[in-house]
Amino acid sequence: MDFLVHNTGWIEAICGPMFSGKSEELIRRLRRAMIARRRVQVFKPVMDDRYSRDEIVSHADSRLEATVVANAREALQRLDWRAQVVGFDESNFFGPDLVDVAQQLADSGKQVIVAGLDTDFLGRPFPPMPELLAVAESITKTLAICMRCGNPAKHTQRLVESGDLIVVGAAGAYEARCRRCFEPGAPRQEWLPLAPPATPPETEG
Ligand code: ADP
Ligand code: ZN
């Protein structure tokens, strides 16, 4: 979102599943801010070391230098207060304090851009994204392409067995799926097509 007035802060949120272009969109917006000669700082969580430690990197290999921090509080400590535009990639990994921190930055006049997963591997809202969406001025929901059927995909399908909320770095551990093809958690052994039950369930009476 390109606001015309630059003396007020705001929060822009970019959310969606993995592979939907959140990092690409974040990088695009930050590059445009740089072209406008605005001072930019972008943070990424230390746990996301899929490709590079001090850059944000999209799946299509678009890159931007980033400050690596453990959580939202550390981002505040390491903030360059001259930054006019502050980005957070993988926002769902900064902890619950990211909501307060983003608000504080926006209240102090900065353009804050948060990009992150809106749902987890079970399809549940991924904290603190829901709160961030509630306080943001602008929300962009990005969709990927379903690897099963080619439809627009809003889910991150886990392909490996694990009950943990976070499994990072394992290549091929996730793919994008649409609502219909999504299998919450690890996939079943066999692909079961969606169909009504052969016999209707018995009703009491
Ligand atoms: P995100 O940050 O949402 O995980 P990225 O910005 O890192 O996404 O990567 C987006 C890029 O990933 C796309 O431009 C495309 O080149 C690639 N890609 C790989 N798999 C898919 C998919 N299933 N749907 C859409 N894009 C995909
Ligand atoms: Zn599908």
Side-chain angles (χ1 to χ4, degrees):
M1 170 153 55
D2 294 320
F3 285 90
L4 289 176
V5 182
H6 280 163
N7 57 6
T8 182
W10 66 83
I11 300 172
E12 301 169 32
I14 303 165
C15 68
M18 279 178 72
F19 306 104
S20 63
K22 300 182 300 298
S23 299
E24 272 174 3
E25 179 60 19
L26 175 64
I27 291 169
R28 190 186 76 90
R29 292 185 193 185
L30 295 174
R31 287 238 166 88
R32 288 169 61 88
M34 289 168 177
I35 290 168
R37 300 189 185 287
R38 308 192 69 212
R39 191 179 283 266
V40 169
Q41 187 175 17
V42 56
F43 294 97
K44 66 177 239 179
V46 70
M47 62 184 312
D48 175 34
D49 57 0
R50 278 178 304 181
Y51 307 108
S52 164
R53 291 195 68 77
D54 51 6
E55 290 176 314
I56 57 172
V57 184
S58 79
H59 289 105
D61 206 35
S62 190
R63 292 162 182 271
L64 205 66
E65 195 184 316
T67 307
V68 182
V69 294
N71 53 45
R73 290 287 151 208
E74 190 188 340
L76 209 49
Q77 286 159 13
R78 299 191 47 197
L79 181 75
D80 175 353
W81 282 94
R82 297 167 301 172
Q84 298 154 296
V85 182
V86 182
F88 294 87
D89 200 15
E90 311 281 1
S91 293
N92 48 293
F93 294 142
F94 281 85
D97 287 343
L98 184 58
V99 184
D100 274 354
V101 167
Q103 291 269 66
Q104 205 174 317
L105 296 177
D107 287 344
S108 69
K110 300 186 192 304
Q111 175 185 353
V112 180
I113 313 177
V114 294
L117 294 171
D118 47 6
T119 58
D120 66 13
F121 73 111
L122 295 175
R124 302 172 300 192
F126 205 144
M129 288 311 281
E131 289 81 2
L132 283 168
L133 299 185
V135 299
E137 270 82 356
S138 129
I139 300 171
T140 300
K141 183 137 178 168
T142 50
L143 296 175
I145 301 297
C146 176
M147 295 306 281
R148 269 268 162 80
C149 75
N151 276 319
K154 72 164 190 118
H155 282 296
T156 303
Q157 176 70 55
R158 181 173 288 177
L159 300 173
V160 295
E161 284 286 350
S162 172
D164 297 343
L165 177 60
I166 300 163
V167 175
V168 198
Y174 295 97
E175 71 181 25
R177 296 268 183 98
C178 74
R179 178 184 289 274
R180 192 172 187 278
C181 298
F182 178 54
E183 302 169 275
R188 292 185 292 263
Q189 289 301 305
E190 286 175 69
W191 167 240
L192 302 174
L194 282 178
T199 49
E202 282 183 34
T203 50
E204 287 180 37

